[in-house]
Amino acid sequence: METTDQATEGDPLKTGEDGAEAGTVPSATELKRKSCKELGFSKLSHWRTAVFFLSLFLCLTIVFAFSFIIPCPVRPQYLVTWNSSFPGAATYNFLAFEHANEDKVMDVLFILKTTEVTQNRSCADKGLSSPCVFLLALDGTHGENLWDCPLEPDFHWAQCGLERETGRTWDCLLSHSDKLTAIDKRTGTKIWQQSQPTGLRSSAPVLSVPDLDGDKVGDVALVASDNTQTQLVLLSGKTGDQIGTTVVLDSTETASHLLHRTEKGSYYVLLQKDTGLYGWALWKIAAKAKAGMDMGLKKDQHLERNASGTDGLVPIYESEVSRMLKTDETDDSSNLLVVAGKEVALLDGKHLELLWRFNTSSVLSEPSFGHFNKDGLIDVVIEEDIGNNTKRIIILDGKTGGVLWEVQLLASPNSPRPVSIDTTNYFSVFMFWGLMPSESNSSEPVTSERRSYMLHPLYSNAVLESTNVVDHIIAFKATLMERGRHAAYILLIGPKEEGAEGTVVLSKRKLKQDVPDSKVLRFGDGTTKSNEDIKEAFNRLRFSDW
């Protein structure tokens, strides 16, 4: 029979745990040693428990203390819609969105011509004749007046957004009466005020140019023109003083102008003339304004090879140009869209060369931009006049110029140009105005009907129709009021004639607020989704400025 020296369950008394034979009574010394070991382990266990609970108490104390010392940021609570009315006032086609206070919601700036905006804020209080011009900032959350700045009448033009990355302490520049006034967007304070430069009256836009006078603050350029010449004036961004002398270009009238930066870093003032689009190098302008002044401005030798020997202009696009605009207003190097005769053309921003051309009969309004597909390139929205009081809304592919989407509408008067707002899904929601032919009431003239439509690119065979605006629209813009959350459109409503006296209303409406009461209209090969599914797709959207 096999035997073993190891203890088993069947033979429990074979050997003890400590190596002693089973049944052997331990000695007093061994019992004492064992008791001491158990006592040591017991004390160590108590200390560990105490240290653990002490650490936990300290952690909880720190967490609760900082919860009260550094509270979580509070999101601004906004109204989904608000209206501000100003009776006995006049307004103009100007709307700007800026952060005029410390919350994260964009605020609205606009122009009002009136005697007073409140009982405590009147033209007389500032020693001005009545009515005078007010630049007002309304809170984007509730529509309350943040500040107002009274100015001498009459109003000519205004531009905001001029503070960004320039070192300037002001954001808005206004041309009014015989003055130019720079205003701080946060307080409405006048930073500087200068008399209008002698010569022709300038027109918008203001050109934000690099620092030319060495004060480490970006400067500005103003362009003025009549049918005999074009003038350009350089102003200090810090003080508004003129830099050098006025530069005169003896040529035909300039209808519009922009500032562009090429791939080489060279700045050009683009001039829209009746014979085409031309570039005027900023280094040439600076040198003429003040002999030898260029402040290290770069030259683009590639473009300068084509410069005219008489006036120094570089031909960019020679055709009967009616409009030109940037695809990105915040980027001086963005691509350029040119509307010329019966065509729309896109120019490469790096080299100012043609990318594509689209033939059209006649473009009604200023084109706009958005993302219909997800290729990352901005697409173009135009309104084409096709006759019989009908227009065609066309979305052109930014890469090829091909048609991505189109629809025909009745061309209702006083219809704002199309707009779009970007979403976190890398496409845009489009909004446009007019009247679907199927919705027209034949017993009433088209002039009495105007509706707004929203397009979701993933449901391109349907649009949402709204009928919530019936008054005369002076200005209309859509924007992202708060990043990722709060897309809205702003309407400035007033008398039919710009600048005429009447009741002026500025209203904000959250974009999604129109969805529940909208009507789903289908066309083409209809989607299988229900009306509720399409509306829910709009409600699920989250917005972004990328």
Side-chain angles (χ1 to χ4, degrees), residues 390-425:
T390 305
K391 64 182 178 181
R392 186 164 63 133
I393 308 293
I394 309 173
I395 301 179
L396 301 176
D397 188 356
K399 183 177 182 180
T400 65
V403 177
L404 296 174
W405 184 88
E406 62 178 285
V407 68
Q408 291 188 15
L409 297 175
L410 297 179
S412 304
N414 191 225
S415 292
R417 73 174 185 137
V419 297
S420 68
I421 298 182
D422 294 331
T423 70
T424 56
N425 297 319

PDB file of all heavy atoms in Angstrom, residues 390-425:
ATOM      1  N   THR A 390     -40.344  84.826 -62.292  1.00  0.00           N
ATOM      2  CA  THR A 390     -39.908  83.567 -61.680  1.00  0.00           C
ATOM      3  C   THR A 390     -38.390  83.571 -61.546  1.00  0.00           C
ATOM      4  O   THR A 390     -37.675  84.088 -62.401  1.00  0.00           O
ATOM      5  CB  THR A 390     -40.344  82.363 -62.537  1.00  0.00           C
ATOM      6  OG1 THR A 390     -41.762  82.437 -62.736  1.00  0.00           O
ATOM      7  CG2 THR A 390     -40.017  81.050 -61.839  1.00  0.00           C
ATOM      8  N   LYS A 391     -37.916  82.987 -60.458  1.00  0.00           N
ATOM      9  CA  LYS A 391     -36.474  82.855 -60.245  1.00  0.00           C
ATOM     10  C   LYS A 391     -36.123  81.407 -59.930  1.00  0.00           C
ATOM     11  O   LYS A 391     -36.985  80.609 -59.534  1.00  0.00           O
ATOM     12  CB  LYS A 391     -36.014  83.764 -59.102  1.00  0.00           C
ATOM     13  CG  LYS A 391     -36.594  83.425 -57.734  1.00  0.00           C
ATOM     14  CD  LYS A 391     -36.117  84.405 -56.674  1.00  0.00           C
ATOM     15  CE  LYS A 391     -36.737  84.093 -55.308  1.00  0.00           C
ATOM     16  NZ  LYS A 391     -36.298  85.063 -54.273  1.00  0.00           N
ATOM     17  N   ARG A 392     -34.852  81.107 -60.126  1.00  0.00           N
ATOM     18  CA  ARG A 392     -34.369  79.757 -59.836  1.00  0.00           C
ATOM     19  C   ARG A 392     -33.272  79.855 -58.777  1.00  0.00           C
ATOM     20  O   ARG A 392     -32.290  80.577 -58.962  1.00  0.00           O
ATOM     21  CB  ARG A 392     -33.824  79.116 -61.107  1.00  0.00           C
ATOM     22  CG  ARG A 392     -33.424  77.652 -60.944  1.00  0.00           C
ATOM     23  CD  ARG A 392     -33.264  76.954 -62.288  1.00  0.00           C
ATOM     24  NE  ARG A 392     -32.197  77.535 -63.079  1.00  0.00           N
ATOM     25  CZ  ARG A 392     -31.245  76.827 -63.709  1.00  0.00           C
ATOM     26  NH1 ARG A 392     -31.253  75.515 -63.618  1.00  0.00           N
ATOM     27  NH2 ARG A 392     -30.323  77.424 -64.430  1.00  0.00           N
ATOM     28  N   ILE A 393     -33.476  79.174 -57.648  1.00  0.00           N
ATOM     29  CA  ILE A 393     -32.441  79.073 -56.609  1.00  0.00           C
ATOM     30  C   ILE A 393     -31.533  77.915 -56.997  1.00  0.00           C
ATOM     31  O   ILE A 393     -31.989  76.775 -57.128  1.00  0.00           O
ATOM     32  CB  ILE A 393     -33.051  78.837 -55.224  1.00  0.00           C
ATOM     33  CG1 ILE A 393     -34.142  79.865 -54.902  1.00  0.00           C
ATOM     34  CG2 ILE A 393     -31.951  78.850 -54.156  1.00  0.00           C
ATOM     35  CD1 ILE A 393     -33.646  81.262 -54.736  1.00  0.00           C
ATOM     36  N   ILE A 394     -30.244  78.199 -57.177  1.00  0.00           N
ATOM     37  CA  ILE A 394     -29.287  77.178 -57.619  1.00  0.00           C
ATOM     38  C   ILE A 394     -28.145  77.098 -56.611  1.00  0.00           C
ATOM     39  O   ILE A 394     -27.580  78.124 -56.207  1.00  0.00           O
ATOM     40  CB  ILE A 394     -28.711  77.512 -59.005  1.00  0.00           C
ATOM     41  CG1 ILE A 394     -29.825  77.813 -60.006  1.00  0.00           C
ATOM     42  CG2 ILE A 394     -27.840  76.374 -59.521  1.00  0.00           C
ATOM     43  CD1 ILE A 394     -29.316  78.312 -61.345  1.00  0.00           C
ATOM     44  N   ILE A 395     -27.796  75.879 -56.212  1.00  0.00           N
ATOM     45  CA  ILE A 395     -26.616  75.639 -55.386  1.00  0.00           C
ATOM     46  C   ILE A 395     -25.556  75.001 -56.277  1.00  0.00           C
ATOM     47  O   ILE A 395     -25.771  73.913 -56.825  1.00  0.00           O
ATOM     48  CB  ILE A 395     -26.930  74.748 -54.173  1.00  0.00           C
ATOM     49  CG1 ILE A 395     -28.008  75.410 -53.303  1.00  0.00           C
ATOM     50  CG2 ILE A 395     -25.670  74.501 -53.349  1.00  0.00           C
ATOM     51  CD1 ILE A 395     -28.399  74.592 -52.088  1.00  0.00           C
ATOM     52  N   LEU A 396     -24.425  75.704 -56.443  1.00  0.00           N
ATOM     53  CA  LEU A 396     -23.347  75.251 -57.311  1.00  0.00           C
ATOM     54  C   LEU A 396     -22.241  74.588 -56.498  1.00  0.00           C
ATOM     55  O   LEU A 396     -21.880  75.079 -55.415  1.00  0.00           O
ATOM     56  CB  LEU A 396     -22.769  76.434 -58.095  1.00  0.00           C
ATOM     57  CG  LEU A 396     -23.743  77.212 -58.983  1.00  0.00           C
ATOM     58  CD1 LEU A 396     -23.036  78.404 -59.616  1.00  0.00           C
ATOM     59  CD2 LEU A 396     -24.327  76.304 -60.059  1.00  0.00           C
ATOM     60  N   ASP A 397     -21.695  73.504 -57.037  1.00  0.00           N
ATOM     61  CA  ASP A 397     -20.593  72.801 -56.393  1.00  0.00           C
ATOM     62  C   ASP A 397     -19.364  73.701 -56.355  1.00  0.00           C
ATOM     63  O   ASP A 397     -18.915  74.220 -57.386  1.00  0.00           O
ATOM     64  CB  ASP A 397     -20.286  71.526 -57.179  1.00  0.00           C
ATOM     65  CG  ASP A 397     -19.292  70.628 -56.475  1.00  0.00           C
ATOM     66  OD1 ASP A 397     -18.778  71.031 -55.413  1.00  0.00           O
ATOM     67  OD2 ASP A 397     -19.024  69.521 -56.978  1.00  0.00           O
ATOM     68  N   GLY A 398     -18.812  73.903 -55.166  1.00  0.00           N
ATOM     69  CA  GLY A 398     -17.649  74.764 -55.034  1.00  0.00           C
ATOM     70  C   GLY A 398     -16.420  74.227 -55.729  1.00  0.00           C
ATOM     71  O   GLY A 398     -15.501  74.991 -56.049  1.00  0.00           O
ATOM     72  N   LYS A 399     -16.380  72.935 -55.995  1.00  0.00           N
ATOM     73  CA  LYS A 399     -15.213  72.332 -56.635  1.00  0.00           C
ATOM     74  C   LYS A 399     -15.278  72.414 -58.152  1.00  0.00           C
ATOM     75  O   LYS A 399     -14.277  72.690 -58.820  1.00  0.00           O
ATOM     76  CB  LYS A 399     -15.087  70.869 -56.201  1.00  0.00           C
ATOM     77  CG  LYS A 399     -13.861  70.164 -56.741  1.00  0.00           C
ATOM     78  CD  LYS A 399     -13.763  68.747 -56.203  1.00  0.00           C
ATOM     79  CE  LYS A 399     -12.498  68.056 -56.702  1.00  0.00           C
ATOM     80  NZ  LYS A 399     -12.390  66.670 -56.173  1.00  0.00           N
ATOM     81  N   THR A 400     -16.464  72.180 -58.739  1.00  0.00           N
ATOM     82  CA  THR A 400     -16.579  72.084 -60.195  1.00  0.00           C
ATOM     83  C   THR A 400     -17.470  73.146 -60.821  1.00  0.00           C
ATOM     84  O   THR A 400     -17.408  73.362 -62.031  1.00  0.00           O
ATOM     85  CB  THR A 400     -17.131  70.706 -60.585  1.00  0.00           C
ATOM     86  OG1 THR A 400     -18.480  70.583 -60.089  1.00  0.00           O
ATOM     87  CG2 THR A 400     -16.275  69.592 -59.993  1.00  0.00           C
ATOM     88  N   GLY A 401     -18.341  73.774 -60.040  1.00  0.00           N
ATOM     89  CA  GLY A 401     -19.311  74.704 -60.592  1.00  0.00           C
ATOM     90  C   GLY A 401     -20.558  74.031 -61.118  1.00  0.00           C
ATOM     91  O   GLY A 401     -21.442  74.691 -61.675  1.00  0.00           O
ATOM     92  N   GLY A 402     -20.668  72.713 -60.945  1.00  0.00           N
ATOM     93  CA  GLY A 402     -21.859  71.981 -61.379  1.00  0.00           C
ATOM     94  C   GLY A 402     -23.035  72.221 -60.455  1.00  0.00           C
ATOM     95  O   GLY A 402     -22.867  72.612 -59.291  1.00  0.00           O
ATOM     96  N   VAL A 403     -24.243  71.970 -60.965  1.00  0.00           N
ATOM     97  CA  VAL A 403     -25.463  72.184 -60.184  1.00  0.00           C
ATOM     98  C   VAL A 403     -25.661  71.024 -59.214  1.00  0.00           C
ATOM     99  O   VAL A 403     -25.757  69.862 -59.618  1.00  0.00           O
ATOM    100  CB  VAL A 403     -26.685  72.328 -61.105  1.00  0.00           C
ATOM    101  CG1 VAL A 403     -27.954  72.466 -60.279  1.00  0.00           C
ATOM    102  CG2 VAL A 403     -26.521  73.525 -62.036  1.00  0.00           C
ATOM    103  N   LEU A 404     -25.734  71.344 -57.923  1.00  0.00           N
ATOM    104  CA  LEU A 404     -26.007  70.338 -56.889  1.00  0.00           C
ATOM    105  C   LEU A 404     -27.491  70.257 -56.558  1.00  0.00           C
ATOM    106  O   LEU A 404     -27.993  69.181 -56.231  1.00  0.00           O
ATOM    107  CB  LEU A 404     -25.227  70.678 -55.615  1.00  0.00           C
ATOM    108  CG  LEU A 404     -23.700  70.636 -55.698  1.00  0.00           C
ATOM    109  CD1 LEU A 404     -23.088  71.138 -54.392  1.00  0.00           C
ATOM    110  CD2 LEU A 404     -23.217  69.217 -55.993  1.00  0.00           C
ATOM    111  N   TRP A 405     -28.178  71.398 -56.628  1.00  0.00           N
ATOM    112  CA  TRP A 405     -29.593  71.442 -56.242  1.00  0.00           C
ATOM    113  C   TRP A 405     -30.200  72.695 -56.836  1.00  0.00           C
ATOM    114  O   TRP A 405     -29.520  73.711 -57.013  1.00  0.00           O
ATOM    115  CB  TRP A 405     -29.707  71.474 -54.718  1.00  0.00           C
ATOM    116  CG  TRP A 405     -31.101  71.428 -54.180  1.00  0.00           C
ATOM    117  CD1 TRP A 405     -31.837  70.314 -53.902  1.00  0.00           C
ATOM    118  CD2 TRP A 405     -31.941  72.550 -53.832  1.00  0.00           C
ATOM    119  NE1 TRP A 405     -33.077  70.665 -53.404  1.00  0.00           N
ATOM    120  CE2 TRP A 405     -33.162  72.036 -53.351  1.00  0.00           C
ATOM    121  CE3 TRP A 405     -31.763  73.923 -53.883  1.00  0.00           C
ATOM    122  CZ2 TRP A 405     -34.203  72.854 -52.922  1.00  0.00           C
ATOM    123  CZ3 TRP A 405     -32.795  74.749 -53.465  1.00  0.00           C
ATOM    124  CH2 TRP A 405     -34.003  74.202 -52.986  1.00  0.00           C
ATOM    125  N   GLU A 406     -31.498  72.634 -57.164  1.00  0.00           N
ATOM    126  CA  GLU A 406     -32.184  73.809 -57.683  1.00  0.00           C
ATOM    127  C   GLU A 406     -33.679  73.698 -57.446  1.00  0.00           C
ATOM    128  O   GLU A 406     -34.222  72.595 -57.272  1.00  0.00           O
ATOM    129  CB  GLU A 406     -31.910  73.981 -59.182  1.00  0.00           C
ATOM    130  CG  GLU A 406     -32.419  72.833 -60.045  1.00  0.00           C
ATOM    131  CD  GLU A 406     -32.143  73.106 -61.519  1.00  0.00           C
ATOM    132  OE1 GLU A 406     -32.869  73.941 -62.100  1.00  0.00           O
ATOM    133  OE2 GLU A 406     -31.223  72.486 -62.065  1.00  0.00           O
ATOM    134  N   VAL A 407     -34.344  74.854 -57.430  1.00  0.00           N
ATOM    135  CA  VAL A 407     -35.794  74.912 -57.290  1.00  0.00           C
ATOM    136  C   VAL A 407     -36.271  76.230 -57.892  1.00  0.00           C
ATOM    137  O   VAL A 407     -35.527  77.225 -57.882  1.00  0.00           O
ATOM    138  CB  VAL A 407     -36.220  74.806 -55.809  1.00  0.00           C
ATOM    139  CG1 VAL A 407     -35.790  76.038 -55.015  1.00  0.00           C
ATOM    140  CG2 VAL A 407     -37.721  74.579 -55.678  1.00  0.00           C
ATOM    141  N   GLN A 408     -37.475  76.236 -58.435  1.00  0.00           N
ATOM    142  CA  GLN A 408     -38.051  77.447 -58.998  1.00  0.00           C
ATOM    143  C   GLN A 408     -39.060  78.048 -58.035  1.00  0.00           C
ATOM    144  O   GLN A 408     -39.866  77.332 -57.436  1.00  0.00           O
ATOM    145  CB  GLN A 408     -38.740  77.152 -60.337  1.00  0.00           C
ATOM    146  CG  GLN A 408     -37.772  76.801 -61.455  1.00  0.00           C
ATOM    147  CD  GLN A 408     -38.456  76.697 -62.804  1.00  0.00           C
ATOM    148  OE1 GLN A 408     -39.589  77.142 -62.980  1.00  0.00           O
ATOM    149  NE2 GLN A 408     -37.757  76.112 -63.769  1.00  0.00           N
ATOM    150  N   LEU A 409     -38.987  79.394 -57.898  1.00  0.00           N
ATOM    151  CA  LEU A 409     -39.888  80.133 -57.018  1.00  0.00           C
ATOM    152  C   LEU A 409     -40.422  81.348 -57.760  1.00  0.00           C
ATOM    153  O   LEU A 409     -39.777  81.860 -58.685  1.00  0.00           O
ATOM    154  CB  LEU A 409     -39.164  80.609 -55.760  1.00  0.00           C
ATOM    155  CG  LEU A 409     -38.595  79.574 -54.790  1.00  0.00           C
ATOM    156  CD1 LEU A 409     -37.825  80.292 -53.688  1.00  0.00           C
ATOM    157  CD2 LEU A 409     -39.685  78.707 -54.204  1.00  0.00           C
ATOM    158  N   LEU A 410     -41.575  81.806 -57.349  1.00  0.00           N
ATOM    159  CA  LEU A 410     -42.042  83.097 -57.811  1.00  0.00           C
ATOM    160  C   LEU A 410     -41.216  84.179 -57.125  1.00  0.00           C
ATOM    161  O   LEU A 410     -40.970  84.113 -55.918  1.00  0.00           O
ATOM    162  CB  LEU A 410     -43.526  83.274 -57.490  1.00  0.00           C
ATOM    163  CG  LEU A 410     -44.476  82.283 -58.178  1.00  0.00           C
ATOM    164  CD1 LEU A 410     -45.906  82.542 -57.757  1.00  0.00           C
ATOM    165  CD2 LEU A 410     -44.344  82.362 -59.690  1.00  0.00           C
ATOM    166  N   ALA A 411     -40.782  85.164 -57.891  1.00  0.00           N
ATOM    167  CA  ALA A 411     -39.867  86.194 -57.391  1.00  0.00           C
ATOM    168  C   ALA A 411     -40.645  87.289 -56.680  1.00  0.00           C
ATOM    169  O   ALA A 411     -40.937  88.339 -57.249  1.00  0.00           O
ATOM    170  CB  ALA A 411     -39.040  86.770 -58.528  1.00  0.00           C
ATOM    171  N   SER A 412     -41.002  87.058 -55.441  1.00  0.00           N
ATOM    172  CA  SER A 412     -41.735  88.049 -54.661  1.00  0.00           C
ATOM    173  C   SER A 412     -40.842  89.246 -54.359  1.00  0.00           C
ATOM    174  O   SER A 412     -39.662  89.085 -54.044  1.00  0.00           O
ATOM    175  CB  SER A 412     -42.227  87.439 -53.345  1.00  0.00           C
ATOM    176  OG  SER A 412     -43.002  86.288 -53.589  1.00  0.00           O
ATOM    177  N   PRO A 413     -41.384  90.471 -54.454  1.00  0.00           N
ATOM    178  CA  PRO A 413     -40.583  91.660 -54.112  1.00  0.00           C
ATOM    179  C   PRO A 413     -40.189  91.649 -52.639  1.00  0.00           C
ATOM    180  O   PRO A 413     -40.829  90.999 -51.806  1.00  0.00           O
ATOM    181  CB  PRO A 413     -41.543  92.815 -54.416  1.00  0.00           C
ATOM    182  CG  PRO A 413     -42.570  92.254 -55.329  1.00  0.00           C
ATOM    183  CD  PRO A 413     -42.723  90.819 -54.944  1.00  0.00           C
ATOM    184  N   ASN A 414     -39.129  92.408 -52.335  1.00  0.00           N
ATOM    185  CA  ASN A 414     -38.659  92.539 -50.956  1.00  0.00           C
ATOM    186  C   ASN A 414     -38.312  91.191 -50.336  1.00  0.00           C
ATOM    187  O   ASN A 414     -38.586  90.913 -49.177  1.00  0.00           O
ATOM    188  CB  ASN A 414     -39.696  93.262 -50.096  1.00  0.00           C
ATOM    189  CG  ASN A 414     -39.153  93.671 -48.732  1.00  0.00           C
ATOM    190  OD1 ASN A 414     -39.820  93.471 -47.716  1.00  0.00           O
ATOM    191  ND2 ASN A 414     -37.970  94.226 -48.682  1.00  0.00           N
ATOM    192  N   SER A 415     -37.701  90.313 -51.151  1.00  0.00           N
ATOM    193  CA  SER A 415     -37.248  89.014 -50.659  1.00  0.00           C
ATOM    194  C   SER A 415     -35.742  89.082 -50.412  1.00  0.00           C
ATOM    195  O   SER A 415     -34.973  89.344 -51.347  1.00  0.00           O
ATOM    196  CB  SER A 415     -37.553  87.911 -51.667  1.00  0.00           C
ATOM    197  OG  SER A 415     -38.939  87.708 -51.785  1.00  0.00           O
ATOM    198  N   PRO A 416     -35.285  88.861 -49.177  1.00  0.00           N
ATOM    199  CA  PRO A 416     -33.841  88.898 -48.898  1.00  0.00           C
ATOM    200  C   PRO A 416     -33.100  87.809 -49.665  1.00  0.00           C
ATOM    201  O   PRO A 416     -33.678  86.824 -50.125  1.00  0.00           O
ATOM    202  CB  PRO A 416     -33.771  88.651 -47.381  1.00  0.00           C
ATOM    203  CG  PRO A 416     -35.133  88.995 -46.870  1.00  0.00           C
ATOM    204  CD  PRO A 416     -36.078  88.636 -47.964  1.00  0.00           C
ATOM    205  N   ARG A 417     -31.810  87.980 -49.774  1.00  0.00           N
ATOM    206  CA  ARG A 417     -30.991  86.987 -50.463  1.00  0.00           C
ATOM    207  C   ARG A 417     -30.882  85.726 -49.613  1.00  0.00           C
ATOM    208  O   ARG A 417     -31.048  85.762 -48.382  1.00  0.00           O
ATOM    209  CB  ARG A 417     -29.602  87.546 -50.762  1.00  0.00           C
ATOM    210  CG  ARG A 417     -28.702  87.683 -49.532  1.00  0.00           C
ATOM    211  CD  ARG A 417     -27.308  88.107 -49.947  1.00  0.00           C
ATOM    212  NE  ARG A 417     -26.396  88.138 -48.804  1.00  0.00           N
ATOM    213  CZ  ARG A 417     -25.156  87.683 -48.832  1.00  0.00           C
ATOM    214  NH1 ARG A 417     -24.661  87.143 -49.922  1.00  0.00           N
ATOM    215  NH2 ARG A 417     -24.385  87.764 -47.774  1.00  0.00           N
ATOM    216  N   PRO A 418     -30.570  84.562 -50.217  1.00  0.00           N
ATOM    217  CA  PRO A 418     -30.437  83.323 -49.441  1.00  0.00           C
ATOM    218  C   PRO A 418     -29.302  83.417 -48.419  1.00  0.00           C
ATOM    219  O   PRO A 418     -28.326  84.149 -48.611  1.00  0.00           O
ATOM    220  CB  PRO A 418     -30.119  82.271 -50.516  1.00  0.00           C
ATOM    221  CG  PRO A 418     -30.638  82.852 -51.791  1.00  0.00           C
ATOM    222  CD  PRO A 418     -30.438  84.327 -51.657  1.00  0.00           C
ATOM    223  N   VAL A 419     -29.446  82.640 -47.342  1.00  0.00           N
ATOM    224  CA  VAL A 419     -28.406  82.566 -46.305  1.00  0.00           C
ATOM    225  C   VAL A 419     -28.239  81.111 -45.912  1.00  0.00           C
ATOM    226  O   VAL A 419     -29.043  80.240 -46.286  1.00  0.00           O
ATOM    227  CB  VAL A 419     -28.757  83.411 -45.064  1.00  0.00           C
ATOM    228  CG1 VAL A 419     -28.841  84.881 -45.401  1.00  0.00           C
ATOM    229  CG2 VAL A 419     -30.068  82.930 -44.438  1.00  0.00           C
ATOM    230  N   SER A 420     -27.209  80.814 -45.136  1.00  0.00           N
ATOM    231  CA  SER A 420     -26.991  79.456 -44.646  1.00  0.00           C
ATOM    232  C   SER A 420     -26.306  79.516 -43.285  1.00  0.00           C
ATOM    233  O   SER A 420     -25.662  80.517 -42.948  1.00  0.00           O
ATOM    234  CB  SER A 420     -26.136  78.638 -45.623  1.00  0.00           C
ATOM    235  OG  SER A 420     -24.812  79.139 -45.662  1.00  0.00           O
ATOM    236  N   ILE A 421     -26.454  78.440 -42.514  1.00  0.00           N
ATOM    237  CA  ILE A 421     -25.776  78.302 -41.224  1.00  0.00           C
ATOM    238  C   ILE A 421     -25.154  76.911 -41.176  1.00  0.00           C
ATOM    239  O   ILE A 421     -25.814  75.913 -41.485  1.00  0.00           O
ATOM    240  CB  ILE A 421     -26.752  78.489 -40.046  1.00  0.00           C
ATOM    241  CG1 ILE A 421     -27.342  79.895 -40.062  1.00  0.00           C
ATOM    242  CG2 ILE A 421     -26.035  78.254 -38.719  1.00  0.00           C
ATOM    243  CD1 ILE A 421     -28.274  80.185 -38.914  1.00  0.00           C
ATOM    244  N   ASP A 422     -23.882  76.844 -40.803  1.00  0.00           N
ATOM    245  CA  ASP A 422     -23.165  75.566 -40.753  1.00  0.00           C
ATOM    246  C   ASP A 422     -23.606  74.733 -39.551  1.00  0.00           C
ATOM    247  O   ASP A 422     -23.968  75.273 -38.498  1.00  0.00           O
ATOM    248  CB  ASP A 422     -21.661  75.806 -40.673  1.00  0.00           C
ATOM    249  CG  ASP A 422     -21.116  76.445 -41.935  1.00  0.00           C
ATOM    250  OD1 ASP A 422     -21.700  76.215 -43.012  1.00  0.00           O
ATOM    251  OD2 ASP A 422     -20.115  77.169 -41.851  1.00  0.00           O
ATOM    252  N   THR A 423     -23.551  73.409 -39.718  1.00  0.00           N
ATOM    253  CA  THR A 423     -23.893  72.480 -38.641  1.00  0.00           C
ATOM    254  C   THR A 423     -22.667  71.657 -38.261  1.00  0.00           C
ATOM    255  O   THR A 423     -21.653  71.663 -38.959  1.00  0.00           O
ATOM    256  CB  THR A 423     -25.023  71.523 -39.069  1.00  0.00           C
ATOM    257  OG1 THR A 423     -24.517  70.598 -40.049  1.00  0.00           O
ATOM    258  CG2 THR A 423     -26.190  72.304 -39.679  1.00  0.00           C
ATOM    259  N   THR A 424     -22.780  70.934 -37.164  1.00  0.00           N
ATOM    260  CA  THR A 424     -21.678  70.062 -36.728  1.00  0.00           C
ATOM    261  C   THR A 424     -21.532  68.843 -37.617  1.00  0.00           C
ATOM    262  O   THR A 424     -20.564  68.097 -37.482  1.00  0.00           O
ATOM    263  CB  THR A 424     -21.914  69.604 -35.277  1.00  0.00           C
ATOM    264  OG1 THR A 424     -23.203  68.959 -35.180  1.00  0.00           O
ATOM    265  CG2 THR A 424     -21.878  70.782 -34.321  1.00  0.00           C
ATOM    266  N   ASN A 425     -22.478  68.609 -38.522  1.00  0.00           N
ATOM    267  CA  ASN A 425     -22.420  67.473 -39.439  1.00  0.00           C
ATOM    268  C   ASN A 425     -21.698  67.809 -40.733  1.00  0.00           C
ATOM    269  O   ASN A 425     -21.762  67.056 -41.702  1.00  0.00           O
ATOM    270  CB  ASN A 425     -23.839  66.986 -39.760  1.00  0.00           C
ATOM    271  CG  ASN A 425     -24.569  66.476 -38.540  1.00  0.00           C
ATOM    272  OD1 ASN A 425     -23.995  65.795 -37.706  1.00  0.00           O
ATOM    273  ND2 ASN A 425     -25.839  66.823 -38.411  1.00  0.00           N
TER     274      ASN A 425
END
